[in-house]
Each structure stands twice: as structure tokens, then as C-alpha cells.
Amino acid sequence: MRKAFFEGTHRTRHPAETWAALRPLLPSYGITRVADVTGLDDLGIPVTMAVRPLARTLSVAQGKGATLDAARVSGALEAVEAWHAERAVPPPVERAPAEVLRLPYPVTALETHPGSLLTTRTVMDWIAARSAVDGATVPVPAASVRLGREVHDRWRLHLPSPSTNGLASGNTTAEAVTHALYEVIERDAVSDLTTAPQGCPVRIDPGSVTEPHCAALIDRIRAARAWLELWHLPSRFGVPVVSCYLWREDHSALLVSGSGAHLDPHVALSRAVTEAAQSRLTAITGSREDIHPATYRETGHRGPRSAQEPGADWGQTAARFATGFADDEREAAHLAARIADVTGAHPLVVDLTHGPYRTGVFSVVKVIAPHLRYDARHVIPRPRLETAA
């Protein structure tokens, strides 16, 4: 299906159409409210929160977008995604250790917490996934997909580390897979900032951004007298990845951040900026259960140290990337092939809107990408200014 909406993102339907179709379904997923919280800050970038009181994970999800409808869809679908990861994981097809399954990837290359005891001899439940490259059926641990805490009567050792990384939705399955692939690529690049980057991050001069949508976002932030910093991050997959950092003296202890990845560098930049604005409003609303108390401590008005030089020209940086696709099917295939070429393992897709969970309105998938990292779970490390010298 060809893309039809291009303002800050690529979608096959206009957000207003998606919202009209999605809104009547929200009670089915325990969503009691999708609130517009944009006005609680004065940046003016649309942000929403979707409330799901009986969630097995976080009971509030956030959304952002170029328009209020886009932000509503973003917040509602983030909550819908979590619901499916809690309740719609396919049933196990086998219970066995990895060593007997002849997997096309090492099980130890899956996402785990530091110090994990996962080995090829660990007995786990396995569910069916499909290769995003050739469609082949491949087993993945159910524990890598299922989210949430619930009461149970037997002890379980959670060795793979489930997270929302690679959990995505879309108007179509191909759109969902595309966005999931972008997310695992983005998180891999951001994780590099916790160690030695596979390349040098490039600080961008916000004043050099002339693309209308992105320039308007930056103008809103500057009009609110907030401090803004943009970085283009190296990615081993050749996909533009951007991180954004925001600070304002009304929350002097809070340096918020956002990141985005997309073959269209302007979309990557837009996602980074809107996610940073969303993170700021998340702290302002105080609605999430995982906000650290240090977020609200009182400190002096000391902003981040700014660079002496303005940074690189965004136009020149963006001009290095020219690959684009008119439909998500080809875009997903390109991204999956690129990941497979670099890592030697196919990214794997689990369909969470299968059978009774299929609605025809949206699709939810979980992409598992062996060998890709997700280390920066709560805070995006800020690159050192000297790396841009």
C-alpha cells in the first residue's frame, strides 16, 4: 500500500482517518481516556496520554505528532501495543532448550539484562516468528515478547529481557514492521553512546534546519526560550539517526531527550524533537509509574554547557541520504536485508494481531533482532561536546 501522509512521519492513512477508525475500539483494550496534555507546557508540540488502568505494565502511554490527531493516534496505539504484548502473544509451539532447535541465530544474541544466565541449555517456551527477509518460520522465546507482571503459582526465571523495543503498530502489517525495524535500529545506535560509538556523533546547528516541518518545531522551542541540542548519530546500518536534548530553567534538574531513525533524515529529526517534547510533558504530568523521584528535585538554574561553535549544517548532513520508498513493503524489505547483511541474522517478526486479535484497523508486531543492542533504556546519553570537534 502506498504512503499517503508525510508530515513528520510516513503513514498509509491520514491520522484523522486512523483516529476515526481507532477511537471506537479503545474500550476493548482497557483505554478509558486519551487526553490532550499539550497545554500543560508552552512548547506547543502536540502530546497526548492514553490511560489504561488495568494494565499489566505501565498504565499510562504517551503519544506525540505533528498534529493533535497524529498525537492521539500515537498515544492510543502505544497503549494498544502494550495490551497486545501482555495478552495476545501466540501460544507456545514447543518447550525446549535452544540447543535442540537448530536456531539460525545464537540465543545469547537476544536482548538480555546485564549478568543474564541465559545459555543454549536453558529450557524455555518458544513461539513462531517469521523472518522479515524471506518469510521463513523461526522459533523465538515467548519471554522475549510477553510483557507484564501477573500472579502465578510457579517460579519462573526470566532470562531473555522483554521490552517494548521493536514493539510497533501501523495501519498495515508492513507499516508496523517498518516502524519496528526503525526502532531497533535507533535503539542500537543510541546504545552505542553508552560505550565507544562506531563512528563520531555530529552536532547539528538547529538554525541550519530549513525543512518546513522540522524548522517549525525548532521555532516553537526557541520561542519558548528552551535550550535545544541536536546530534546526528552514527549507525552501522546506514540509516539516519538523530537525538535531541531539551532543557528549560522551569525544570532545572530535567534534561529530556528523544531520538528517531528513518531513511528520510527529516523524519528522524522530527521524531527526535517531538519525543523530547513528549518526555518533558511526561515529567510535567507526573503520570507514569516509572518516573524517578530525582526528576523533581530542586536545584539551581544551571543549564547544560553549550558548545562554542554552531555545529554542522543540517542540509549537508541530510543530503548524504537519498534512499526512499513509496510503500512500506519495499521499505521493510530494504531495512531487514540491511540488518541481516550487517549482523548475519535475520530480524524476526511476531504478529500480535493474529486470529481473534485481528481488527482490520491496525496491526501490531514485535520485531526481535539478534545482535542489536538496547542498553540506554531510560536516558539517552548526551554525546560529549568534544566528539564533535
Side-chain angles (χ1 to χ4, degrees), residues 123-135:
V123 176
M124 294 182 289
D125 289 330
W126 299 83
I127 60 177
R130 65 173 176 85
S131 164
V133 176
D134 59 16

Side-chain angles (χ1 to χ4, degrees), residues 74-216:
S74 173
L77 284 180
E78 184 171 310
V80 167
E81 291 163 13
W83 186 95
H84 283 80
E86 295 167 0
R87 302 169 187 268
V89 177
V93 295
E94 190 163 3
R95 181 172 177 80
E99 63 184 2
V100 306
L101 296 180
R102 298 183 180 179
L103 300 174
Y105 61 90
V107 70
T108 51
L110 297 177
E111 184 182 321
T112 58
H113 284 296
S116 170
L117 302 177
L118 180 64
T119 72
T120 58
R121 297 185 178 184
T122 305
V123 176
M124 294 182 289
D125 289 330
W126 299 83
I127 60 177
R130 65 173 176 85
S131 164
V133 176
D134 59 16
T137 300
V138 180
V140 297
S144 292
V145 180
R146 184 177 293 110
L147 296 178
R149 295 179 176 88
E150 56 186 339
V151 175
H152 53 83
D153 58 4
R154 66 187 179 94
W155 181 82
R156 292 178 295 184
L157 181 61
H158 296 287
L159 291 168
S161 176
S163 73
T164 59
N165 187 30
L167 180 63
S169 56
N171 292 292
T172 66
T173 300
E175 185 177 286
V177 172
T178 299
H179 286 271
L181 290 169
Y182 278 130
E183 184 165 88
V184 297
I185 289 171
E186 167 200 328
R187 301 284 174 76
D188 183 77
V190 168
S191 294
D192 254 354
L193 295 174
T194 64
T195 55
Q198 301 182 46
C200 182
V202 176
R203 190 172 49 81
I204 300 299
D205 175 11
S208 68
V209 178
T210 59
E211 191 274 333
H213 168 71
C214 293

Side-chain angles (χ1 to χ4, degrees), residues 19 39 47 92 97 100 126-127 162-163 166 180 201 240 245 276 290 294 303 319 326 349 357 366:
W19 177 241
V47 175
V100 306
W126 299 83
I127 60 177
S163 73
Y245 302 85
D290 61 345
V349 179
Y357 303 104
K366 167 73 173 184

Side-chain angles (χ1 to χ4, degrees), residues 7-338:
E7 190 172 356
T9 186
H10 289 181
R11 296 289 182 181
T12 56
R13 281 193 297 186
H14 193 282
E17 297 175 27
T18 302
W19 177 241
L22 176 62
R23 188 174 184 179
L25 304 179
L26 299 184
S28 302
Y29 305 104
I31 299 171
T32 59
R33 183 185 183 202
V34 178
D36 175 12
V37 295
T38 310
L40 297 180
D41 198 0
D42 53 8
L43 298 184
I45 295 174
V47 175
T48 63
M49 53 179 274
V51 183
R52 194 166 56 100
L54 298 180
R56 296 175 183 173
T57 51
L58 296 175
S59 59
V60 174
Q62 278 73 34
K64 75 282 186 186
T67 64
L68 180 55
D69 279 333
R72 283 169 172 156
V73 170
S74 173
L77 284 180
E78 184 171 310
V80 167
E81 291 163 13
W83 186 95
H84 283 80
E86 295 167 0
R87 302 169 187 268
V89 177
V93 295
E94 190 163 3
R95 181 172 177 80
E99 63 184 2
V100 306
L101 296 180
R102 298 183 180 179
L103 300 174
Y105 61 90
V107 70
T108 51
L110 297 177
E111 184 182 321
T112 58
H113 284 296
S116 170
L117 302 177
L118 180 64
T119 72
T120 58
R121 297 185 178 184
T122 305
V123 176
M124 294 182 289
D125 289 330
W126 299 83
I127 60 177
R130 65 173 176 85
S131 164
V133 176
D134 59 16
T137 300
V138 180
V140 297
S144 292
V145 180
R146 184 177 293 110
L147 296 178
R149 295 179 176 88
E150 56 186 339
V151 175
H152 53 83
D153 58 4
R154 66 187 179 94
W155 181 82
R156 292 178 295 184
L157 181 61
H158 296 287
L159 291 168
S161 176
S163 73
T164 59
N165 187 30
L167 180 63
S169 56
N171 292 292
T172 66
T173 300
E175 185 177 286
V177 172
T178 299
H179 286 271
L181 290 169
Y182 278 130
E183 184 165 88
V184 297
I185 289 171
E186 167 200 328
R187 301 284 174 76
D188 183 77
V190 168
S191 294
D192 254 354
L193 295 174
T194 64
T195 55
Q198 301 182 46
C200 182
V202 176
R203 190 172 49 81
I204 300 299
D205 175 11
S208 68
V209 178
T210 59
E211 191 274 333
H213 168 71
C214 293
L217 292 175
I218 293 170
D219 287 345
R220 290 183 187 182
I221 292 169
R222 286 181 159 176
R225 303 194 179 197
W227 175 92
L228 169 72
E229 188 174 76
L230 299 172
W231 291 82
H232 177 254
L233 306 182
S235 169
R236 52 184 171 148
F237 305 108
V239 174
V241 180
V242 177
S243 64
C244 172
Y245 302 85
L246 282 178
W247 179 88
R248 200 160 176 255
E249 63 181 10
D250 57 350
H251 282 271
S252 56
L254 187 64
L255 175 66
V256 297
S257 55
S259 58
H262 202 276
L263 288 171
D264 181 340
H266 304 304
V267 172
L269 192 151
S270 173
R271 287 182 177 173
V273 174
T274 54
E275 186 175 277
Q278 171 188 286
S279 297
R280 181 175 152 83
L281 263 164
T282 299
I284 290 172
T285 59
S287 55
R288 280 177 60 124
E289 299 95 325
D290 61 345
I291 299 177
H292 196 281
T295 300
Y296 303 106
R297 68 172 178 242
E298 294 184 6
T299 64
H301 292 264
R302 299 187 302 273
R305 181 171 65 89
S306 297
Q308 298 299 314
E309 300 299 324
D313 181 82
W314 173 247
Q316 294 179 6
T317 301
R320 305 203 320 259
F321 302 95
T323 304
F325 296 90
D327 60 80
D328 288 299
E329 288 78 5
R330 288 188 297 162
E331 191 162 344
H334 170 82
L335 296 171
R338 185 64 184 146

